[in-house]
Structure formats: structure tokens, C-alpha cells
Amino acid sequence: MSDVRDDLSLIPAPSSVEAPADVPPYELTHATTLAAGPGAEGATAWLRRELGAATGLPLPAPAPGAYDEERGLSRSGGAGARTGIRLAVDRSVGAELGPEGHRLTAGPDGVEILGGGPAGVFWGAQTLRQLLGPDAYRRAPLPGRTWRVPAVRIADRPRFGWRGMLLDTARHFMPKDTVLRYVDLLAAHKLNVLHLHLTDDQGWRVEIRRHPRLTEVGSWRPRTRWGHRASPLWNETPHGGFYTRDDIREIVAYAAARHVRLVPEIDVPGHSQAAIAAYPHLGNTDVVDTGALGVWDDWGVSRNVLAPTDEVLRFYEGVLEEVLELFPAEVSPFVHIGGDECPKDQWRSSPAAQARIRALGLADEEELQSWFVRHFDRWLAARGRRLIGWDEILEGGLAPGAAVSSWRGYAGGVAAAEAGHDVVMCPEQQVYLDYRQDGGPEEPVPIGYVRTLADVYRFEPVPPELDPAAAAHVLGAQANVWTEVMESQGRVDYQVFPRLAAFAEVVWSQLPEPAERDLAGFEARLAGHYGRLDALGVGYRPPSGPLPWQRRPGVLGRPIEGAPPGA
């Protein structure tokens, strides 16, 4: 990776930047046009809308013949010549840099962005917005502002194809507008996967037409533990909410327009108490009075899990049929089924579950969970989708097409990759953003190990023990945002930023080994990036520590001292 000028504050760092100091910038004016070449119509519409709002400039399409489509350059020098901005897909860029790669060239006559595919053009447009400065992220123009793009030549491409973030909307519901806002925040950092955690013990968040009680009952809990599960405090206000089918369609369309894929997560067979509260027959009725269960109001892992019956399989097939309809394959090729933290106590005590184990010829309850996972793997594969689950799905065997989210460290991902399974690295010790950012006493509801900005910047998604063939199965990585102690958008912002900016650079940029990464250079660029976050209204953690209203004095967390294993 070439040196990145700190004054450009580009995050994530591009592969190559040339910024000659003796070439004047390009200034946007009311005469500036914005042209969409072949394949760039979507990115051009997005750029016109965002820059038009921030600058107050019309950015019209150029008159016919204003651009030489063969050379891809603006004509200048003639009477009435107009310079401007042009976006297009270019085959040669795609051949060299891939479909998400792009080239951006800016000089006194204008700006040209050529992408290897529509996504590459869009990421190039994001780079242009960064070059225009923090005020380009505002929703209305500031008076007296001029808009200049420095003379620069940038070539860029991502390191990984999966660059994601999990947003847990089950523990604390995040309204639709918050989800749309996070799609924009991911796109602004060139992240391209939003994993939506939609169901858990504490709530069911997606409307399923054939099973209305999932949201009528399952989306609301009577109260909520305030802080860690050891906290004696409670918020007695009922909490809940869900996304209607039309909400999901809107989120899907919004994400697709920004080249962000969605991964819906529907948990089985554990983390299912909200569903059992809505439909008691889903639980192990021969050992538990499931009719007395409500949506869980506490944190941790509920022991109320799904019963291993054909009726339960048919129920969840119906759920997934609607999920596949709402999340089409072109936006959501993967469907996450959880598969983690499934206590086996009820299965061990259940005569029905034990009879099922014997009938299937299984060795034990671990293999029963594997049977559950394999069923839905085959079911999804028959419908052109791929199953992905947490690394517990490796236990008891895994179908060939399934992928693994490695969360309990690197070991699950290493085992999966060496067995030929695709892997998304999201080890809790490295990239769980609910973990505290500092060891100081003012961190709000401190959870887990200290994971500083520097720690996230030194995260490496590919473990060194993997040989090249196994390493090729690492699709990328994602940062996970679990919301047990995040009750609002502001709390999510505080935990996520600025660490997500560091994560974005890790998964996009061609960085050296962790110990050799230029943290000081990143922090210098981040100083300029804070202005963009300010303009976007992001309530990030300041470098000096939490602001008074970001603290949660007296609310018990669960800090773990020392360095996390494997860090």
C-alpha cells in the first residue's frame, strides 16, 4: 500500500494514491455536471442526491455530446465547454482491480470515477465524498462554503469480499430508521454486509404472516434488565417492536442501492424463548410448562429451546419461506440460523427428544443439534441459498455447503477452513464491539475485555497457521454489536465508533502484518474523519473518553481484566 496523505483523511486507506502538489484542485460550481456512464446509473443517482443536499448544487446531467464516451474524459477548451464529474463501469478496471475496485482521477477539469462493476463505481463515489470534506456529509448546505476536490489519482480495491457488521435488534429493538442509518454508515466506510440478528429469547423482530403471534406476543417483553445480568436494576417499561414485511422490503431495497448485502438471522434450536412464548408447542412440553413462559426479560442463555419434532421443523420452514421472500437471493445469498449456545438439559430430560435420538440413530444430544442444523442446510440449499451459523454448528458434523461465523476465537474458523468450509471471522476477543473500549471507571456498563481502537486496528482476519488453500476459505470478517447493554441508538454509536472505522480499514485495505501497521498514520487520518462523523450525527466515543451523557454511573457491567486469549 502506498503512503496516504494524512490531510486527505481517507478511511479506509486506498491501495494507491498520487496527489501532486503543483496541480490545482477541481471546484464544483453551479455549472458542474454529473454524468452517468454505462453501469453507473445507481451510483450517480446516489451521488447527485447526497452531494446536491450538502452543496445546494443542481449537478445536472451534461448536454448530449459533452463527454467522449470512448476516452471517458471531459472535453474542455472550446466555447461553452463544461467540465464536471463522470462515473462509469470500465472493463479494464474490472480486469485489474475486480468488480469492487475503482480508479478516481481528479484535476482542474473535473473528476472521473471508473469502477470494475457498479459496486466499484459506488465505492469510488464514497471516496469522492470524503475528498470534499466533512460538510459533504450534511443534509443542507452551509453558507459561504466552497467545494474543491484536490488533484489526485487513486486506484483501490478491497482485500475481502465480506466486510460486515452484525446489529443485534433482538435484545434491544432498533427502529427501521436506525437500521437504514447504519446501512449508510456501513457504506460510508466501504463495508458491504449488514447481519441483522432478528430473533432471540428476548424478542422476535420480523413479521411472519402465517404465524402472527410471533410478533403479537414474541416482540414484546414486560421489562428489561438494566445492565449486566448480575445487575439488580430493572427498567419496568415494556420493551419491543418489530419490522413489518414492508419495512423489511424497504430495508432490502435501501441496502441494495448502496451495495450492502443483508444476512437475516433466525435462531434455531436455541435462543428461541420468544418464539416458544408465542407458540408453546414449539418447546419441550413434556418437561416444561411452556404455556407459562413469556418473552425473556433477562440476559444470558435461556434453557428453553426448541423441541426436535417434525412439527417444529415444518413451523420454521414456513418462517424461512417468508424470510426468503422478503430477503431475495441477490441481496441475501446467506441465511444465518444461529446454532449457538443451545443448552441440552431439556433434551436430556425429555422422553420425546430421547426417542427422537434413538429413532434417528444418533449418539447423543450434540448429534441431535447437528441433525437440526443439517436439516435446514439441505432445505436452504434446495432453494438456492447458503446456510451460515455460529461455530457451534461444527459440532457433530457439518454439511459441505455450510459456512461458519467463527465467534469463540479463531479455532472454529481454522477448523472450518481446513475442512473446506467458508468462514467469516468475528472472534469475540477481537471484534465484539459491545466490549469496553477502555479500562477506566467511566466506561458505560463495561463488558468484557478492553478492546481499544488500536486493538481493533491490529486485528488480522486470516490466522497465520492457515495454508493458502485453507486461507482462501476466509470470506472476510465482521464486527459484532450485541445490544444487551445498548438501549438506544446513541449507545450503539458510542460502542461502534470510532472502532468500526479501524475495522473497515482492516477488511478493506492492503495492510501489513499487525505489528507493522501504521497506527499513528491511521489516527492522524481519523482526526479528520471525526468531522465526517460529526456531520452525520454519530455519537462516537471521543478520544479523551466518554462525555458526561455517555456514561452510565451505577449500572453494573461485567468487565474482564487482562488480555483476551489469542490477542
Side-chain angles (χ1 to χ4, degrees), residues 184-366:
D184 279 328
L185 289 172
L186 294 184
H189 293 81
K190 298 188 174 75
L191 298 172
N192 68 344
V193 175
L194 177 58
H195 177 166
L196 285 176
H197 185 240
L198 294 169
T199 73
D200 213 292
D201 300 310
Q202 297 86 1
W204 185 285
R205 306 297 179 212
V206 56
E207 178 186 14
I208 301 298
R209 189 166 47 198
R210 73 188 69 183
H211 301 305
R213 285 177 58 85
L214 287 172
T215 46
E216 291 171 358
V217 174
S219 69
W220 295 92
R221 58 179 181 261
R223 63 176 187 168
T224 299
R225 177 80 70 176
W226 180 226
H228 180 255
R229 60 181 174 271
S231 168
L233 304 177
W234 292 87
N235 182 340
E236 298 291 346
T237 303
H239 176 86
F242 64 92
Y243 308 111
T244 68
R245 292 168 59 84
D246 284 344
D247 289 339
I248 294 294
R249 292 186 180 101
E250 181 182 353
I251 291 168
V252 166
Y254 196 87
R258 288 151 181 80
H259 298 276
V260 173
R261 300 197 304 276
L262 296 171
V263 178
E265 179 173 347
I266 306 295
D267 278 310
V268 297
H271 288 288
S272 298
Q273 184 166 326
I276 296 169
Y279 292 95
H281 71 275
L282 297 176
N284 295 280
T285 57
D286 55 346
V287 292
V288 176
D289 180 8
T290 56
L293 295 176
V295 176
W296 209 23
D297 58 9
D298 210 346
W299 309 128
V301 180
S302 170
R303 297 195 173 278
N304 293 297
V305 303
L306 298 175
T309 66
D310 289 339
E311 187 176 13
V312 169
L313 297 182
R314 301 294 88 76
F315 183 97
Y316 273 86
E317 287 171 0
V319 167
L320 290 171
E321 282 178 6
E322 294 195 29
V323 169
L324 298 191
E325 175 194 346
L326 294 171
F327 293 88
E330 56 269 22
V331 178
S332 301
F334 287 88
V335 174
H336 208 291
I337 55 86
D340 64 316
E341 297 178 325
C342 179
K344 310 298 192 300
D345 302 14
Q346 292 181 1
W347 289 352
R348 293 188 185 99
S349 302
S350 164
Q354 292 301 308
R356 195 69 194 251
I357 290 173
R358 291 191 297 272
L360 293 169
L362 304 177
D364 53 23
E365 293 78 17
E366 298 297 335

